[in-house]
């Protein structure tokens, strides 16, 4: 009687693409996580690929393993059993963290299975003594329930860059589904494998490989991952800007663009080992230098005001009376421009006043901002803002959600693939509030808002004119109604499409919404 292969039944999702002959992409999460980390990228792949994602043993909703049972044989056999069930013989593998290490092991053992291998924030080289100590620390931690809870809380609050509350809540829910024994079982396996010099193993693989690295990854720092570039000459390396250890959650659109570009590049391309072109080398080196310089910066000021206003300094919210004395408007204006003259401020904020009165009001506003920042930090404001006789200049790195939105629109405008463009536009623009930056009314800012809204409307109309499928058209029309509510054409087209798709209740809602806006 043959010995039964050890495996665990995996919780999974399989979405078939409507396109005949579509290739398959398998998404695998890392230690302590589950397949829901891919929620934002799956819709961006599904139009062109069959997609599979699963919870590894002991994670999410898959069957539990125990520490002794966690082996690559167990994980590989569990994946193989799932693929046999789905009748899949080849695929593109995208793995995160320890899931990337599983992809390497799978490519080693199943040479005909993996077409391309994408490794996101995956440990390739790690310092031995440090990693052994960290492994021992985590083994000690999981033996104490309270310390394990504290470790999970620290991970949740650290791994996602500039995470909103909903993302933190989601990460917290994900980590709470793994038991301490399953967590440490997978973690030990990954660390011990990485300590055996994965660089040599990767060099021997005959499969196109790409590494994606979060710019602000606190677990696998950029400086450490960049060290792999000279030794992995057959592997592409890209940095996902403004993202942490979970770039697929922090920057799903950029993550998807790099991944799709890589997969499509390999399909029918020169498979005899690709190398960087000179242009790509120059671009990547520029990104690396920029990323390292930004990581070295000790201070980061973040201002969010797309919907609600908040100021964050080094990850801590700066609370204060920002609604008084034009503090939020002035702070945002200075951070947006980086450096401004006093004359610019007088002309924009108090154009109707005499110069002396404008000077006094600016002095009062700056003193108010000074008190807020100094009370929060305990440091003099000169550490953060240079205020002199003629100008005001930020001395630290500034990050505004306004700029993120503008960059997102740039990305969508320059996306050539119409289907990808539709998905990106609908996802990002649907998440925006009905009114952008509702707390700002100054003329200079209204011009910026009008410009952004015009670009969003132009993108929506261009996509709509390309005659998308009905569901896509419905979502695009909802976006256009949001940002140009006075145009009756959108309301008429949307109601008509909803009626054609037998969504009568929703059709009545939008008809009544449009009518009520004119009452």
């Amino acid at each position: 009687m043959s010995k039964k292969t050890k495996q665990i039944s995996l919780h999974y999702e399989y979405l078939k693409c409507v396109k005949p002959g579509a290739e398959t992409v398998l998404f695998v999460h890392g230690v302590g996580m589950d397949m829901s980390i891919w929620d934002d990228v799956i819709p961006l792949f599904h139009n062109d690929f069959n997609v599979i994602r699963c919870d590894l043993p002991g994670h999410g909703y898959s069957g539990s393993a125990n520490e002794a049972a966690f082996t690559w044989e167990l994980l590989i056999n569990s994946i193989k059993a799932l693929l046999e069930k789905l009748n899949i013989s080849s695929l593109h593998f995208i793995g995160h963290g320890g899931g990337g290490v599983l992809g390497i092991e799978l490519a080693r053992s199943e040479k005909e299975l993996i077409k391309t291998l994408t490794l996101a924030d995956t440990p390739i080289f790690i310092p031995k003594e440090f990693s052994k100590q960290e492994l021992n620390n985590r083994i000690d931690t999981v033996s104490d329930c309270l310390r394990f809870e504290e470790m999970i809380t620290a991970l949740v609050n650290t791994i996602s860059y500039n995470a909103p509350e909903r993302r933190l809540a989601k990460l917290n829910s994900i980590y709470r589904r793994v038991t301490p024994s399953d967590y440490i079982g997978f973690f030990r396996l990954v660390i011990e494998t990485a300590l055996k010099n994965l660089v040599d193993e990767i060099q021997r693989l005959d499969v196109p490989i790409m590494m994606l690295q979060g710019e602000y990854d606190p677990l696998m720092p950029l400086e450490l991952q960049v060290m792999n570039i000279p030794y992995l000459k057959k592997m592409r390396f890209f940095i996902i800007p403004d993202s942490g250890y979970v770039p697929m959650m922090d920057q799903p659109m950029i993550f998807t663009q790099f991944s799709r570009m890589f997969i499509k590049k390999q399909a029918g391309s020169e498979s005899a080992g690709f190398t960087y072109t000179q242009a790509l080398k120059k671009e990547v080196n520029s990104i690396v230098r920029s990323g390292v310089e930004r990581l070295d910066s000790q201070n980061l000021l973040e201002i969010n005001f797309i919907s609600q206003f908040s100021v964050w300094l080094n990850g801590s919210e700066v609370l204060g009376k920002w609604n008084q004395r034009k503090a939020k408007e002035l702070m945002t204006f200075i951070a947006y421009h980086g450096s401004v003259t006093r004359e610019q401020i007088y002309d924009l904020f108090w154009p109707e006043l005499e110069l002396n009165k404008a000077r006094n009001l600016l002095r009062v506003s700056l003193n108010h901002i000074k008190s807020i920042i100094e009370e929060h930090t305990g440091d003099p404001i000169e550490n953060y803002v240079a205020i002199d006789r003629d100008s005001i200049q930020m001395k630290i790195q500034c990050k505004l959600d306004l700029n993120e939105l503008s960059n997102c629109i740039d990305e969508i405008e320059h996306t050539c693939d119409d289907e990808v463009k539709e998905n990106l536009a609908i996802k990002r623009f649907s998440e925006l509030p009905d009114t952008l930056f509702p707390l700002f009314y100054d003329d200079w800012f209204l011009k910026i808002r009008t410009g952004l809204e015009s670009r969003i409307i132009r993108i929506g109309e261009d996509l709509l004119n390309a005659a998308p499928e009905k569901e896509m058209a419905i979502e695009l029309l909802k976006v256009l109604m949001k940002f140009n509510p006075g145009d009756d054409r959108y309301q008429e087209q949307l109601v008509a499409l909803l009626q054609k798709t037998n969504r009568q209740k929703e059709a009545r809602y939008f008809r009544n919404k449009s009518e009520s806006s004119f009452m």
Side-chain angles (χ1 to χ4, degrees):
M1 184 175 178
S2 62
K3 185 178 179 181
K4 185 178 180 180
T5 303
K6 190 172 184 180
Q7 65 185 60
I8 290 177
S9 179
L10 302 181
H11 173 250
Y12 71 95
E13 179 182 46
Y14 179 39
L15 300 175
K16 292 211 65 169
C17 178
V18 295
K19 293 183 178 179
E23 296 185 308
T24 300
V25 181
L26 171 63
F27 297 86
V28 178
H29 64 80
V31 176
M33 299 190 150
D34 66 29
M35 70 181 194
S36 66
I37 67 170
W38 307 106
D39 282 351
D40 291 333
V41 302
I42 293 296
L44 305 179
F45 273 87
H46 185 216
N47 280 342
D48 293 306
F49 300 94
N50 305 315
V51 293
I52 314 171
R53 55 174 169 168
C54 63
D55 293 333
L56 292 177
H59 293 67
Y61 297 99
S62 287
S64 182
N66 57 56
E67 185 177 337
F70 250 103
T71 64
W72 292 125
E73 180 185 20
L74 169 70
L75 298 178
I76 290 172
N77 288 338
S78 300
I79 293 288
K80 286 172 59 180
L82 172 60
L83 298 178
E84 288 172 4
K85 176 181 178 180
L86 299 174
N87 195 29
I88 294 171
S89 58
S90 64
L91 52 81
H92 301 277
F93 188 101
I94 299 180
H96 172 244
V101 181
L102 171 57
I104 295 170
E105 295 296 320
L106 193 60
R108 289 177 59 199
S109 64
E110 306 295 323
K111 294 181 171 56
E112 302 302 317
L113 176 64
I114 307 296
K115 289 185 172 183
T116 66
L117 185 58
T118 297
L119 311 174
D121 296 76
T122 296
I124 302 300
F125 164 78
I126 52 177
K128 289 188 177 181
E129 292 305 316
F130 173 83
S131 300
K132 289 177 181 177
Q133 183 60 49
E134 180 62 20
L135 175 58
N136 291 331
N137 288 342
R138 296 210 187 186
I139 291 173
D140 292 339
T141 296
V142 299
S143 64
D144 183 326
C145 291
L146 180 60
R147 289 181 62 196
F148 182 70
E149 287 285 320
E150 292 173 348
M151 183 189 75
I152 293 302
T153 299
L155 284 172
V156 167
N157 291 327
T158 303
I159 61 175
S160 177
Y161 180 72
N162 196 29
E165 287 299 325
R166 64 181 181 278
R167 193 180 306 150
L168 294 176
K170 181 173 182 175
L171 286 168
N172 185 65
S173 176
I174 289 171
Y175 273 112
R176 302 296 167 182
R177 285 196 281 268
V178 65
T179 66
S181 62
D182 288 327
Y183 177 93
I184 202 61
F186 193 14
F187 183 83
R188 180 201 293 273
L189 183 62
V190 170
I191 293 299
E192 290 179 347
T193 303
L195 288 173
K196 295 176 183 177
N197 198 353
L198 272 176
V199 173
D200 290 342
E201 297 296 340
I202 291 175
Q203 290 283 41
R204 286 192 279 268
L205 291 178
D206 187 22
V207 59
I209 303 174
M210 175 176 67
M211 278 193 72
L212 296 178
Q213 174 68 27
E215 182 183 10
Y216 295 106
D217 183 349
L219 303 186
M220 296 301 301
L222 183 60
E223 298 96 325
L224 182 64
Q225 297 289 64
V226 167
M227 292 172 59
N228 295 310
I229 295 176
Y231 306 102
L232 298 172
K233 297 180 180 179
K234 292 184 178 180
M235 182 167 69
R236 294 192 176 219
F237 184 97
F238 292 98
I239 298 168
I240 307 295
D242 294 333
S243 65
Y245 179 64
V246 283
M248 73 294 297
M249 300 176 78
D250 291 342
Q251 296 288 352
M253 291 184 291
I254 299 176
F255 185 96
T256 299
Q257 274 203 313
F258 279 138
S259 301
R260 287 174 59 102
M261 175 185 69
F262 174 65
I263 291 172
K264 287 187 175 182
K265 176 72 174 175
Q266 305 315 309
S269 69
E270 66 289 350
S271 59
F274 56 85
T275 59
Y276 294 114
T277 63
Q278 291 302 314
L280 185 57
K281 279 186 177 181
K282 183 178 180 181
E283 178 71 14
V284 171
N285 289 337
S286 173
I287 294 172
V288 170
R289 285 195 300 272
S290 173
V292 171
E293 288 172 1
R294 293 172 71 181
L295 281 168
D296 287 341
S297 174
Q298 293 185 348
N299 294 305
L300 172 66
L301 179 77
E302 301 172 75
I303 300 180
N304 300 316
F305 52 109
I306 285 181
S307 55
Q308 300 292 325
F309 182 82
S310 64
V311 178
W312 298 75
L313 186 58
N314 300 329
S316 175
E317 186 172 8
V318 182
L319 300 175
K321 297 179 179 179
W322 288 105
N323 286 324
Q324 296 182 4
R325 299 179 175 88
K326 287 190 176 289
K328 69 176 185 294
E329 293 89 349
L330 186 57
M331 191 69 190
T332 303
F333 180 73
I334 298 169
Y336 176 72
H337 292 282
S339 178
V340 297
T341 67
R342 289 177 179 262
E343 293 294 334
Q344 286 177 293
I345 296 175
Y346 301 150
D347 291 341
L348 287 170
F349 287 87
W350 301 285
E352 76 285 357
L353 297 182
E354 295 178 358
L355 183 57
N356 284 337
K357 290 184 179 180
R359 285 173 178 167
N360 289 333
L361 288 173
L362 177 57
R363 182 167 57 251
V364 170
S365 295
L366 290 175
N367 283 334
H368 186 61
I369 293 173
K370 177 178 183 290
S371 66
I372 294 174
I373 292 178
E374 291 185 350
E375 182 177 346
H376 175 79
T377 64
D379 299 326
I381 194 171
E382 288 77 14
N383 289 358
Y384 309 99
V385 185
I387 303 174
D388 59 34
R389 182 175 179 178
D390 298 316
S391 64
I392 303 169
Q393 181 176 354
M394 299 302 303
K395 297 175 67 175
I396 60 176
Q397 179 188 342
C398 297
K399 176 181 172 63
L400 283 72
D401 58 357
L402 162 64
N403 292 333
E404 290 186 347
L405 175 57
S406 181
N407 292 338
C408 172
I409 295 173
D410 286 341
E411 178 188 353
I412 294 172
E413 287 175 334
H414 291 92
T415 299
C416 298
D417 188 317
D418 285 343
E419 291 185 358
V420 174
K421 193 169 186 174
E422 287 174 1
N423 280 295
L424 296 180
I426 290 170
K427 174 174 174 49
R428 188 66 178 97
F429 298 156
S430 297
E431 293 173 346
L432 295 173
D434 289 349
T435 302
L436 296 177
F437 319 109
L439 302 176
F440 287 73
Y441 307 102
D442 298 287
D443 288 343
W444 71 272
F445 197 81
L446 292 177
K447 291 180 181 178
I448 294 175
R449 186 177 75 184
T450 300
L452 293 174
E453 290 175 340
S454 297
R455 293 171 68 191
I456 292 173
I457 292 169
R458 186 165 57 250
I459 290 171
E461 290 180 338
D462 288 346
L463 290 171
L464 199 61
N465 290 335
E469 296 178 356
K470 288 181 181 178
E471 289 302 319
M472 285 291 190
I474 287 172
E475 296 306 316
L476 287 169
L477 284 165
K478 288 178 182 178
V479 169
L480 288 168
M481 280 190 67
K482 178 192 296 189
F483 292 104
N484 195 4
D487 195 323
D488 292 340
R489 294 174 302 160
Y490 306 143
Q491 182 258 352
E492 293 169 358
Q493 292 179 60
L494 178 58
V495 170
L497 277 175
L498 290 170
Q499 290 173 336
K500 285 181 181 179
T501 53
N502 296 318
R503 293 156 68 171
Q504 305 300 333
K505 184 176 180 181
E506 199 173 355
R508 286 194 299 272
Y509 168 79
F510 281 101
R511 185 189 297 110
N512 294 336
K513 182 177 181 180
S514 179
E515 290 172 355
S516 65
S517 66
F518 292 99
M519 294 178 64

